[in-house]
Amino acid sequence: QQPVQSPQAVILREGEDAVINCSSSKALYSVHWYRQKHGEAPIFLMILLKGGEQKGHDKISASFNEKKQQSSLYLTASQLSYSGTYFCRGTSYDKVIFGPGTSLSVIP
Amino acid sequence: NAGVTQTPKFQVLKTGQSMTLQCAQDMNHEYMSWYRQDPGMGLRLIHYSVGAGITDQGEVPNGYNVSRSTTEDFPLRLLSAAPSQTSVYFCASSSSGNYNEQFFGPGTRLTVL
C-alpha cells in the first residue's frame, strides 16, 4: 500500500518553513526523500534508517519515527530553488513504494 | 561519468506495437530498476534487477519484460503496447538494494495511441 503524504500541495513565501509528512501502514526499514522538478528526474535528498535518526542536508532535514511509521521532511528558510514535488520512498521487507508526492511552490 | 542514460526521450506508439526502452549506467551499480510515473500516483516499480542475470517483478509488471545481460544495461520491453501504458518511464540505479541513493535517468515520455 502506497505511503500517504501530507499536505498534497503547499505554497510558501521565500524564507518560510515547511514540513512534509509521509505515513506508512507497513513496517519500513528505511525512508528516502527525493525532489523532482517539472520535466526532470527525481533527485535524492536523504535517507532515514530505522532508529529515528535525523539527517540533515543544508537547510533541509528529516526524521523517521519508527513507532509511528512516519517520516517528516523539514524545509527551513525556503528558497526559490526548493520548488518542486517531494516524494518519500519507503522500503519494507518485501517492497519499495513511493508516496504520491507533495507539490511545493516557493514564491518571492 | 554520464550517470544513467535513457533512450529515446519521447516515443509515440500505436496500440499493439512493441518497443524497447533503453537504459544504461556507467557507475558499476548492481541494482537497477524501472519505474513508471503517472499524474498523482508517484513512481511505481515495474521490474528491478540486483545484478547481471537476475531480475524480478515490481508492483506493476504486467505488459513489460526485462533482461539484464550486463551490469551496465537494463532494457525494458513493451510486448504489445496499450493506451494504459502511456506514461513517463524512469530507469534508476544504485550501488546496492534499498539503502543507498538511487540515481535516475532523464526519463522517456511514451504515448500509446
Side-chain angles (χ1 to χ4, degrees):
Chain A
Q1 192 156 359
Q2 193 177 37
V4 175
Q5 285 188 236
S6 62
Q8 286 186 313
V10 58
I11 299 174
L12 300 174
R13 292 205 176 271
E14 239 180 323
E16 290 182 337
D17 302 339
V19 180
I20 300 172
N21 296 306
C22 172
S23 298
S24 172
S25 58
K26 289 176 74 80
L28 300 177
Y29 291 134
S30 68
V31 175
H32 291 199
W33 284 96
Y34 292 80
R35 176 171 62 210
Q36 184 179 31
K37 294 189 180 283
H38 184 70
E40 298 181 7
I43 299 294
F44 174 83
L45 293 175
M46 64 189 71
I47 179 172
L48 287 304
L49 302 177
K50 278 197 329 183
E53 186 178 356
Q54 185 160 346
K55 286 191 172 265
H57 176 71
D58 196 13
K59 291 179 182 172
I60 300 175
S61 61
S63 63
F64 177 32
N65 186 319
E66 189 184 333
K67 201 169 180 181
K68 292 184 179 179
Q69 290 301 309
Q70 178 173 311
S71 178
S72 296
L73 186 72
Y74 308 95
L75 297 101
T76 306
S78 58
Q79 305 167 15
L80 295 175
S81 61
Y82 286 4
S83 292
T85 301
Y86 288 78
F87 294 97
C88 63
R89 192 198 91 160
T91 304
S92 64
Y93 78 93
D94 63 343
K95 56 175 61 178
V96 167
I97 307 179
F98 277 85
T102 293
S103 173
L104 185 138
S105 301
V106 181
I107 57 176
Chain B
N1 284 351
V4 181
T5 57
Q6 290 182 237
T7 56
K9 285 196 163 95
F10 301 94
Q11 183 70 48
V12 179
L13 292 177
K14 292 183 180 175
T15 296
Q17 286 185 314
S18 62
M19 79 157 295
T20 299
L21 307 186
Q22 301 292 344
C23 173
Q25 52 91 9
D26 61 0
M27 297 173 281
N28 203 32
H29 286 167
E30 301 100 354
Y31 194 89
M32 296 185 74
S33 49
W34 276 101
Y35 296 90
R36 60 176 289 172
Q37 186 173 35
D38 302 296
M41 298 193 70
L43 292 122
R44 290 184 292 169
L45 183 64
I46 304 171
H47 285 285
Y48 66 96
S49 168
V50 298
I54 307 170
T55 64
D56 207 346
Q57 295 181 349
E59 189 184 349
V60 288
N62 292 342
Y64 308 95
N65 270 358
V66 292
S67 60
R68 184 101 178 265
S69 56
T70 67
T71 300
E72 295 77 21
D73 300 299
F74 190 43
L76 177 73
R77 295 183 191 83
L78 280 71
L79 309 172
S80 176
S84 61
Q85 293 179 304
T86 294
S87 188
V88 180
Y89 291 84
F90 287 100
C91 177
S93 74
S94 64
S95 58
S96 66
N98 297 317
Y99 297 108
N100 289 327
E101 173 182 357
Q102 271 190 307
F103 294 84
F104 283 83
T108 294
R109 186 174 293 273
L110 176 70
T111 302
V112 183
L113 303 174

